[in-house]
Amino acid sequence: MSLEPMLTSTRKETIIQSSLNHASKTHLGMLPQFQALEDLSADTPGQARSRANRNADGQVVRGEPAFGRRCRGHHCDPASGISCMAENAASRFFRPGEATRRRGRVAVCPTHFNTNSKGARFPPWPACRGLKRENQMNNLRSRGHGLLWATGSALAFAAVASYAAPTHGTLVVAVNQEPQDLAAQGTYKEINATGLRNVVETLIAVDPVTGEMRGVLATDWERVDGSTLHLTIRQGVKFHDGTDMTAESVAKSINWVWSPEKAFTIQEYAGPGEITATAIDENSVEVVSSKADPLLEFRMTLGGISSAAQLDNSPEEHFDTPVGTGPYVFGEWAKGQYWTATYNPDWWGLSADDAYGTTKPAYSDLKFVFRAEDATRVAMVQSGEAQLGMFPSADECARAADAADYDCVTGPSTTYLYGRLDHSLHAHPVLADPRVREAVFLSVDITGIADLQGMASVPQGQLGPKGTIGFNDAVQPYTYDPERAMALLAEAKADGVDVDALNVEVVGRDTTPRIKPIVEAIGAMLNISGIETTIKVQTPQEFNPRVRIAGYADEPNRQMMQVHVKGNPSGDYGLLLHSNYACPDINDPKGPSRSSVYCDADFDARLFEALASFGDDRNERMKELVQYVHDRHLIVPLALLDRGYLVKAGTEFTFGTDHRIQAVYLKPAE
Amino acid sequence: MADVSNPAIEDAIDPKDERENLRDYLYALRRDKITASAVLFLLALLAFTIGAEFLAPHKPTGLNLADRMLPPFSTGKKGLFYLLGTDELGRDLFTRLIYGARVSVSVGLLGATFSCVFGVIAGLTAGYYGGLYEDLVMRFVDGMLSLPSLLVALFVLFILGGGFANLILVFAVLHWMVFARMSRGLALAARSKTYVVAAKAMGASGRRIVFRHILPNVVAPILVLYTLEIAILILSEASLSFLGFGVQPPDPSWGLMIADGREHIRSAWWLVAFPGLAIFLTALCLNLVASWVRAVTDPAQRWRWFAIGSGGRE
Amino acid sequence: MPYLLKRVINSVILLLITVSFVFFACRMIGDPALNMLGPGANDIALENLRRAAGLNDPLWLQWVRYMGGLLQGDFGVSYRYGFSVIPEADLKDIGVPVVDLVAERLPATFLLAGVAMAIAVPLGLGMGVIAAAYPRHLADRLVTVLSLAGVSIVQFWLGLMLIVLFAVQLGWLPTGGYGEPAHVILPALTLAARPIGRIAQVVRSAMLDELAKPYVVTARAKGVAEWRVILLHALRNAAIPIITMIGDELSALLTGAILVEKIFAWPGIGLLIIDSLSRSDLPIIQVSIAVVATLVIIVNLLVDFAYRIIDPQIQLGQKA
């Protein structure tokens, strides 16, 4: 893939010729009309490898946003969808000015769709079903115009000199949950501290426009070896408390965030080794992992950098008064209600020509209002109380098509819904029979589940989306075949397996959105194949211990299928395989595989070799393991979730698969 | 025992002049159309609850993804008719309501029955025997009553986990005091009545006096309270299930159905509207019946109901 | 005053028993640290929290410490906002005192209960008086049915329906939130439905009783204006049951607002309780239950006072 010319292009006005010449590949069983889209947006494993190699070799991309490269990994980014389709339509140029004429709305096109039984009720572009028809026409038209977003961004940057102050008032965001705290580490997962990235920035970030890593507080970085990374720190950046951001302070921040002693929740994305940082000179920081870590750059996109002065002088304030470097300065946090931030006129990005974002800060203030009730968030956007509402249901999103005041934008995430059937540990003996396991898996109508989930696509028989390092294109979803399932059960019974004892306990956690109908549907589906079920939706207190080795070791033999969601933002199968399939150790219940129910020494040995490998080798090893676990019917992947937002009509919102809500990626309506 | 009294004499002393009035009650009921329809509604509800398997048009569980979220009065792909529409798994809402009634009504009935039995025993004995026993019981009752009951129920269910049995247990534990306080007052008043004094003089045992003499004479107010309690418990069940601390899926209960439908409140209003209406109507009918029973058993008011041609509620 | 003093002492004892019960019950549901942090938490975080919150000590010691703290006015520290516990720190230093969190929520709860009562009391009184003044009239029947409906409706369902109608369809009022006068209207209306019904019922029946009494007949015979008879004589004499009912309903409002607060995202103590239950934040649960119980007890005491003011002849402690 010839990415480099685009990525290193320095002239932002350059009309970029898309060089994405994807060969048509085997399709995933999606609706035919989306085949081209799917293919286009999908990275080949080779591409993914090249990214990893590049990083490992220290050839890094930095500086300018890499316009023109929209398609990352398995899917487009929300904005990129247009461009992908545009490119697909063989129109590879954009015309400056086109974007300004277009009535700005974000068209979003996840690149994989479940077949939808309600298909007839939706417009022909299901992923864009939240948009109004006129708007879809716009999109269709705009597809012909090529790189709309690039245009918009280029104009925004061209306007740097004339930018004076925000033109709009307060951006109110209806958030689905209140943060546990606003510590700098919270930037690692948007859902844990929604909006924190407006205040606290990271060294590197995954650009939602390009899907590539780009510098934020680091202007450059270099791989020294498998476990060492050198980062060059941006000069002239000040924290909101007025102190300078130095290499020293950055190192202190990294050490604070990643310290195992501090035990922040970011540890769930900690690597094989312990991460430490030291300042090597005024401008550079050395980050070292105690073990070789192919994903070290990725980890640097997670932890926020906050004021070292605060850590020194008043560490307790670190948890509810974030002091970062971002375009907005933290205001107040009214516990239980909202938190606010105010425009930062001294933000480095106002004068830097390599600042991130599709726009300069357009809002004078930000207000993140906590509204756990789905209906309330929707209603807030409908009534104009909020300009952005998180995670509406598929139905609400569809209704936005008929509404004049607001739109729905959706995009793929890296969150997956799965059903994990007890296997080696403490499982009922009947589940040891491969035919019984297969029968259970063949009884689940995965398409139906994804449909029920809404805004979701059918995964390709594995937990990661296309484009993840280790993705195995040969693996296919388990086919829905109740008759075959019944035959397998009969066969097993004839061989003396105690099939009558089979009673699968389908369990979900009540905090998972839409879990109840899904669990009920899986139960009903298994019943159709003659498998008895017990359905439970449990509270976190009941559920959590049951999916943790230390907890379920206490249970009698069981036949539980836990239906749960997990995310894997790393773009690599390492974490997925390790946390889902490696044998957990009862004596080390804190291990990453603490919730796995599978014990297979052979698999573990191969996994740990794969985890320590780099590049092509890593990819091939992971692919084999993906096939291996698929054949053993351990986990049934149920859905890859899209996430959506209701936005005030005309607002352009750009987000990546990590779904960050950042004001510099939000262009208000005119 | 010393219980050698002559039942005939007791009956003669007993002022149970309402025994033969069943026909009067039915007559009064027939004239009160509102209460009559409330009674009919409750009887129908009871019939549906008992005979759900025979009366429900569809299966309450299962899956029919082809007929998801159909509005009321629609016909599905296979020609099935759905009176009140379907939910998101394509299950008939009317059928789910009927099965949901089974859960909601039995929680209300059982919870009220347990708390009534326990409360009345405690209250009547406390009122009749008095002394330290009464003091202890009533001190305890007052203490329990001053606790916020919904909150305590929420907390106890949080500890024990939700579910049908736990819900009834919690309701019984938290609602018997109301019955106790009321029946203690009634027993206190009855203690000095002639029929009690007479029965005592004839050597009837305390237990016999409490349950054979006092109890039948205080049935009416207790019945009123019982009916009201059923309504209150059905409402509480809905609240607790709505919060996720009550009945657990897949049992359908009305509160749970509202909780499930809330997500689709604008696109599929029937999912929330009908279970809410069902609860409302049930509670309303119970309240109507309770106030009617109170009126017809109240000596000051009953003439309005029995005297021919004297108006009353139409 | 000795009676009142006795009641206060009884109440304090009751509260201490309740708090202890809640304390031990909370410990029955397993490791509080694990419940709080979830299965994803690593052992260091768990250990940090346990150590910082003193969860490693024997249960009785924790209880003694907790009760000791309570008596000194120290209500503990929330786990929730001290979520990321740094190893060297103590929860006391970095966490938010529970008392602050609860105190922060009380004004919202009081405001909501106050507005709801401000709607319910005049409406309920008015409806009850009209019904009693015109017995078996159309107005009476209407009031009877309306008040029964108010009592029978599911509060949270009514709230949802009001949101759909006024916030979504008509767009007149916000769907939820806190801060502006418009925010309080829908939740207060939702909460007021039941007290309106209950108060109207009680007023009606108490007034009917009073109006049948000889002094009313005498007053009427003396030619006192009917509105004077009703408002000055009968209503005044019917005040005791009415006040009792208002007190009951006020306590019910303070506790029953949980659902309404949740639906309207009203940041009152009910929402705090629900949040804390779902997060297993035991210190908050313990204190908020105690606070609500205290409020209920205070309301009961106020009702007692009100009896005295209305009718000085009433001997407190003598009512059966």
Side-chain angles (χ1 to χ4, degrees):
Chain A
M1 294 295 147
S2 47
L3 296 172
E4 296 307 312
M6 294 186 293
L7 297 170
T8 49
S9 162
T10 49
R11 285 195 59 219
K12 40 195 173 279
E13 295 85 7
T14 310
I15 296 173
I16 302 155
Q17 181 163 5
S18 167
S19 47
L20 297 168
N21 299 313
H22 288 259
S24 197
K25 294 193 303 287
T26 327
H27 192 253
L28 312 183
M30 306 299 163
L31 290 176
Q33 64 260 41
F34 304 115
Q35 191 163 347
L37 191 59
E38 174 63 44
D39 290 339
L40 227 182
S41 60
D43 257 355
T44 61
Q47 237 177 316
R49 275 200 307 279
S50 75
R51 189 157 70 228
N53 286 340
R54 188 182 68 246
N55 290 344
D57 297 345
Q59 294 172 0
V60 288
V61 182
R62 62 186 173 98
E64 296 297 326
F67 300 131
R69 170 81 179 108
R70 305 293 137 173
C71 302
R72 176 234 181 186
H74 62 295
H75 42 234
C76 329
D77 299 298
S80 63
I82 304 168
S83 344
C84 291
M85 284 188 271
E87 287 153 6
N88 193 35
S91 175
R92 304 213 163 119
F93 302 89
F94 73 79
R95 291 170 225 153
E98 204 56 65
T100 47
R101 283 209 301 278
R102 175 176 167 256
R103 193 174 157 210
R105 290 200 182 181
V106 183
V108 181
C109 45
T111 54
H112 32 75
F113 311 102
N114 48 312
T115 45
N116 191 329
S117 67
K118 293 189 291 186
R121 283 167 53 187
F122 288 113
W125 295 96
C128 302
R129 60 197 175 207
L131 300 172
K132 280 183 250 322
R133 273 175 192 77
E134 33 139 347
N135 208 35
Q136 285 159 20
M137 291 314 292
N138 267 337
N139 297 336
L140 288 170
R141 252 192 296 122
S142 66
R143 277 176 201 121
H145 298 317
L147 307 171
L148 259 173
W149 269 95
T151 320
S153 313
L155 290 176
F157 287 109
V160 162
S162 62
Y163 180 81
T167 48
H168 287 68
T170 305
L171 169 73
V172 179
V173 181
V175 180
N176 69 333
Q177 68 177 37
E178 183 171 10
Q180 299 279 8
D181 55 50
L182 290 175
Q185 66 104 17
T187 51
Y188 86 103
K189 207 186 214 176
E190 189 69 10
I191 190 89
N192 282 14
T194 306
L196 186 57
R197 282 199 181 215
N198 293 290
V199 175
V200 178
E201 294 174 312
T202 52
L203 289 166
I204 312 175
V206 177
D207 192 308
V209 179
T210 63
E212 297 293 336
M213 288 187 199
R214 56 164 303 147
V216 178
L217 292 178
T219 52
D220 193 5
W221 62 93
E222 188 187 353
R223 233 337 148 151
V224 178
D225 58 37
S227 59
T228 312
L229 197 62
H230 280 180
L231 298 109
T232 309
I233 304 303
R234 187 178 292 278
Q235 294 304 296
V237 178
K238 276 188 190 304
F239 288 109
H240 297 154
D241 58 6
T243 55
D244 289 325
M245 184 183 79
T246 61
E248 290 284 343
S249 62
V250 169
K252 187 173 178 77
S253 217
I254 296 173
N255 288 332
W256 170 275
V257 163
W258 289 101
S259 152
E261 286 288 289
K262 301 281 186 292
F264 287 124
T265 45
I266 198 174
Q267 289 295 330
E268 66 176 298
Y269 293 146
E274 189 179 322
I275 294 172
T276 50
T278 42
I280 43 179
D281 60 43
E282 259 174 45
N283 303 334
S284 326
V285 170
E286 180 179 73
V287 177
V288 180
S289 170
S290 60
K291 287 188 188 140
D293 186 354
L295 299 178
L296 200 51
E297 292 89 349
F298 164 71
R299 297 186 216 288
M300 289 303 107
T301 68
L302 299 175
I305 303 298
S306 67
S307 163
Q310 187 192 44
L311 296 182
D312 283 333
N313 302 330
S314 46
E316 69 282 354
E317 284 179 11
H318 178 75
F319 295 93
D320 57 5
T321 314
V323 179
T325 52
Y328 287 86
V329 181
F330 173 77
E332 61 155 339
W333 178 9
K335 303 264 162 79
Q337 299 179 57
Y338 58 83
W339 73 270
T340 61
T342 309
Y343 166 66
N344 176 12
D346 302 324
W347 181 46
W348 59 267
L350 297 178
S351 51
D353 52 6
D354 61 344
Y356 61 94
T358 54
T359 174
K360 294 293 163 189
Y363 297 96
S364 65
D365 294 275
L366 308 180
K367 187 173 184 185
F368 296 89
V369 184
F370 319 130
R371 291 286 186 273
E373 293 282 295
D374 293 356
T376 312
R377 289 195 305 277
V378 170
M380 281 180 74
V381 178
Q382 288 172 336
S383 64
E385 279 177 81
Q387 284 86 50
L388 180 66
M390 283 169 80
F391 306 162
S393 67
D395 286 342
E396 292 296 353
C397 219
R399 292 175 69 81
D402 305 323
D405 303 335
Y406 65 100
D407 299 329
C408 178
V409 297
T410 66
S413 70
T414 53
T415 307
Y416 55 93
L417 177 77
Y418 66 90
R420 183 201 309 264
L421 186 61
D422 281 347
H423 188 278
S424 321
L425 295 160
H426 313 288
H428 191 282
V430 70
L431 292 181
D433 188 87
R435 286 162 301 191
V436 171
R437 300 190 69 84
E438 190 177 356
V440 172
F441 280 33
L442 294 187
S443 304
V444 180
D445 177 2
I446 298 166
T447 314
I449 297 292
D451 191 23
L452 202 56
Q453 172 70 42
M455 296 203 296
S457 58
V458 178
Q460 199 182 331
Q462 49 202 308
L463 298 173
K466 228 173 191 185
T468 313
I469 296 171
F471 183 86
N472 190 332
D473 216 15
V475 170
Q476 291 300 318
Y478 300 106
T479 41
Y480 174 53
D481 191 348
E483 274 154 33
R484 169 110 180 97
M486 281 187 262
L488 282 166
L489 287 175
E491 204 180 297
K493 190 170 183 177
D495 283 356
V497 179
D498 187 11
V499 173
D500 293 335
L502 188 63
N503 184 332
V504 179
E505 187 189 354
V506 187
V507 189
R509 193 172 84 177
D510 62 3
T511 48
T512 311
R514 307 209 27 83
I515 193 66
K516 195 177 155 234
I518 289 170
V519 166
E520 282 186 278
I522 292 176
M525 287 166 181
L526 297 188
N527 291 343
I528 290 171
S529 303
I531 300 167
E532 282 191 44
T533 54
T534 310
I535 291 165
K536 282 180 189 156
V537 177
Q538 298 187 313
T539 59
Q541 288 91 37
E542 297 165 308
F543 183 87
N544 291 352
R546 302 194 67 197
V547 297
R548 213 179 130 98
I549 173 67
Y552 67 71
D554 298 338
E555 286 193 60
N557 283 355
R558 56 174 209 190
Q559 309 178 33
M560 174 164 153
M561 179 191 270
Q562 41 160 307
V563 183
H564 204 39
V565 286
K566 268 193 186 178
N568 173 36
S570 64
D572 179 283
Y573 258 93
L575 192 69
L576 273 179
L577 291 169
H578 193 185
S579 65
N580 285 307
Y581 302 102
C583 185
D585 179 1
I586 181 73
N587 297 317
D588 178 23
K590 72 182 173 186
S593 59
R594 62 186 164 264
S595 59
S596 166
V597 293
Y598 180 57
C599 278
D600 177 342
D602 179 39
F603 173 84
D604 286 0
R606 289 170 63 182
L607 172 67
F608 287 108
E609 280 171 26
L611 286 176
S613 59
F614 285 78
D616 274 351
D617 182 34
R618 183 181 180 91
N619 192 29
E620 288 307 318
R621 284 171 186 273
M622 299 273 183
K623 273 171 77 173
E624 282 169 26
L625 292 173
V626 167
Q627 183 71 53
Y628 186 93
V629 294
H630 182 266
D631 294 343
R632 276 154 189 79
H633 298 94
L634 305 173
I635 292 178
V636 51
L638 294 170
L640 291 171
L641 307 189
D642 290 350
R643 287 234 158 104
Y645 304 89
L646 294 183
V647 294
K648 195 179 164 197
T651 311
E652 286 187 21
F653 177 29
T654 310
F655 54 90
T657 50
D658 49 2
H659 287 247
R660 310 282 180 194
I661 297 181
Q662 288 174 276
V664 290
Y665 288 105
L666 262 160
K667 272 197 232 177
E670 298 300 304
Chain B
M1 292 281 287
D3 197 1
V4 288
S5 56
N6 183 343
I9 300 177
E10 280 178 42
D11 280 350
I13 305 166
D14 227 335
K16 276 201 305 197
D17 56 353
E18 287 168 19
R19 213 166 30 171
E20 68 279 9
N21 286 352
L22 186 65
R23 204 179 297 167
D24 286 356
Y25 284 128
L26 282 178
Y27 171 73
L29 189 59
R30 212 163 50 211
R31 289 179 12 138
D32 182 355
K33 299 243 165 41
I34 293 179
T35 311
S37 16
V39 170
L40 280 181
F41 177 88
L42 292 175
L43 287 177
L45 185 69
L46 212 59
F48 273 118
T49 308
I50 294 165
E53 280 83 359
F54 309 103
L55 295 168
H58 299 279
K59 270 188 2 194
T61 52
L63 195 63
N64 185 5
L65 291 177
D67 288 351
R68 290 179 57 197
M69 304 271 227
L70 295 179
F73 301 109
S74 35
T75 308
K77 293 233 166 63
K78 287 179 200 141
L80 296 171
F81 177 71
Y82 302 109
L83 182 65
L84 299 181
T86 60
D87 69 4
E88 57 180 332
L89 293 184
R91 300 172 298 200
D92 178 43
L93 191 65
F94 184 55
T95 307
R96 303 261 307 159
L97 272 184
I98 293 173
Y99 280 88
R102 182 173 276 186
V103 175
S104 294
V105 170
S106 33
V107 167
L109 269 178
L110 288 175
T113 307
F114 284 132
S115 45
C116 178
V117 169
F118 189 58
V120 167
I121 292 175
L124 285 185
T125 48
Y128 179 75
Y129 291 111
L132 183 66
Y133 170 66
E134 181 192 18
D135 216 36
L136 279 178
V137 170
M138 291 329 285
R139 176 82 46 99
F140 186 65
V141 164
D142 283 342
M144 293 279 281
L145 274 177
S146 65
L147 291 177
S149 77
L150 180 69
L151 192 57
V152 176
L154 202 62
F155 177 72
V156 174
L157 288 171
F158 163 72
I159 301 291
L160 296 179
F164 188 78
N166 284 349
L167 207 53
I168 291 173
L169 179 79
V170 166
F171 283 156
V173 170
L174 290 177
H175 285 257
W176 66 273
M177 301 88 68
V178 198
F179 288 97
R181 185 180 261 190
M182 178 188 220
S183 40
R184 176 243 183 192
L186 293 169
L188 217 55
R191 200 158 60 169
S192 54
K193 291 265 170 68
T194 38
Y195 66 91
V196 174
V197 176
K200 215 184 221 167
M202 293 167 79
S205 71
R207 202 171 54 182
R208 187 174 170 87
I209 292 172
V210 168
F211 295 107
R212 286 300 307 273
H213 299 270
I214 300 180
L215 185 59
N217 284 293
V218 297
V219 156
I222 289 173
L223 195 66
V224 171
L225 187 62
Y226 177 72
T227 319
L228 291 175
E229 277 296 312
I230 297 175
I232 289 173
L233 292 190
I234 288 178
L235 294 179
S236 310
E237 182 275 324
S239 304
L240 291 169
S241 297
F242 180 78
L243 290 174
F245 292 99
V247 176
Q248 298 297 304
D251 289 349
S253 99
W254 289 341
L256 216 49
M257 289 170 77
I258 298 180
D260 291 347
R262 183 178 36 154
E263 200 182 324
H264 310 285
I265 188 161
R266 271 171 298 261
S267 50
W269 55 269
W270 55 94
L271 293 182
V272 172
F274 290 124
L277 267 181
I279 300 175
F280 173 63
L281 284 178
T282 309
L284 184 65
C285 291
L286 285 167
N287 274 311
L288 281 168
V289 170
S291 67
W292 180 81
V293 172
R294 183 172 15 203
V296 295
T297 54
D298 178 358
Q301 278 195 53
R302 51 184 303 208
W303 58 271
R304 292 189 191 144
W305 305 87
F306 296 108
I308 295 163
S310 67
R313 277 192 300 179
E314 262 96 73
Chain C
M1 277 298 146
Y3 166 71
L4 217 55
L5 196 67
K6 206 171 116 193
R7 276 206 67 172
V8 172
I9 290 169
N10 278 350
S11 306
V12 170
I13 292 171
L14 181 73
L15 265 179
L16 291 182
I17 293 173
T18 311
V19 170
S20 307
F21 167 74
V22 173
F23 178 89
F24 286 111
C26 279
R27 267 36 178 204
M28 278 167 49
I29 52 169
D31 182 352
L34 185 58
N35 284 332
M36 179 68 210
L37 298 184
N42 69 27
D43 275 11
I44 300 175
L46 288 173
E47 192 46 42
N48 281 349
L49 180 58
R50 285 198 201 104
R51 187 194 43 70
L55 296 171
N56 287 329
D57 296 332
L59 199 54
W60 65 268
L61 185 61
Q62 291 183 44
W63 179 75
V64 168
R65 197 170 46 214
Y66 185 71
M67 295 310 268
L70 275 191
L71 295 177
Q72 292 164 31
D74 170 13
F75 293 86
V77 172
S78 160
Y79 298 170
R80 180 209 182 315
Y81 296 108
F83 184 75
S84 300
V85 182
I86 17 183
E88 57 275 16
D90 213 15
L91 204 55
K92 274 204 206 76
D93 303 325
I94 61 165
V96 179
V98 169
V99 71
D100 292 358
L101 290 171
V102 174
E104 200 170 72
R105 301 302 188 95
L106 279 178
T109 293
F110 287 153
L111 176 66
L112 185 56
V115 175
M117 284 317 266
I119 297 172
V121 171
L123 263 180
L125 273 179
M127 280 166 62
V129 167
I130 290 172
Y134 304 100
R136 284 178 286 137
H137 197 265
L138 180 69
D140 180 22
R141 269 181 237 158
L142 204 65
V143 166
T144 310
V145 170
L146 277 180
S147 59
L148 280 179
V151 174
S152 310
I153 208 154
V154 197
Q155 267 182 347
F156 62 88
W157 182 72
L158 178 66
L160 288 171
M161 293 292 151
L162 288 178
I163 290 180
V164 171
L165 183 62
F166 289 104
V168 178
Q169 299 297 330
L170 299 172
W172 292 350
L173 293 165
T175 52
Y178 179 65
E180 284 159 39
H183 285 133
V184 79
I185 299 175
L186 286 185
L189 276 180
T190 309
L191 271 181
R194 205 182 104 95
I196 290 175
R198 296 281 307 265
I199 294 171
Q201 281 176 344
V202 167
V203 170
R204 177 181 173 273
S205 70
M207 290 283 287
L208 278 179
D209 284 353
E210 288 300 321
L211 289 174
K213 285 190 176 160
Y215 74 89
V216 171
V217 179
T218 317
R220 279 180 180 151
K222 278 162 67 181
V224 179
E226 186 66 16
W227 67 269
R228 282 187 74 97
V229 172
I230 288 174
L231 293 184
L232 296 185
H233 295 264
L235 188 58
R236 197 192 149 90
N237 285 310
I240 295 282
I242 296 173
I243 293 281
T244 312
M245 178 53 68
I246 291 176
D248 273 11
E249 283 305 309
L250 188 57
S251 346
L253 266 189
L254 291 169
T255 61
I258 294 175
L259 285 141
V260 176
E261 286 183 0
K262 182 171 162 61
I263 284 171
F264 289 97
W266 185 263
I269 203 159
L271 198 61
L272 182 70
I273 290 172
I274 289 287
D275 283 353
S276 312
L277 282 177
S278 67
R279 290 171 202 278
S280 301
D281 195 339
L282 306 183
I284 296 193
I285 300 172
Q286 287 162 4
V287 172
S288 17
I289 291 182
V291 165
V292 173
T294 313
L295 290 177
V296 171
I297 288 168
I298 291 175
V299 169
N300 288 343
L301 289 176
L302 286 179
V303 168
D304 275 1
F305 264 125
Y307 288 155
R308 265 199 117 144
I309 295 164
I310 293 163
D311 188 350
Q313 287 174 329
I314 286 185
Q315 296 280 304
L316 284 182
Q318 298 295 305
K319 64 187 172 96

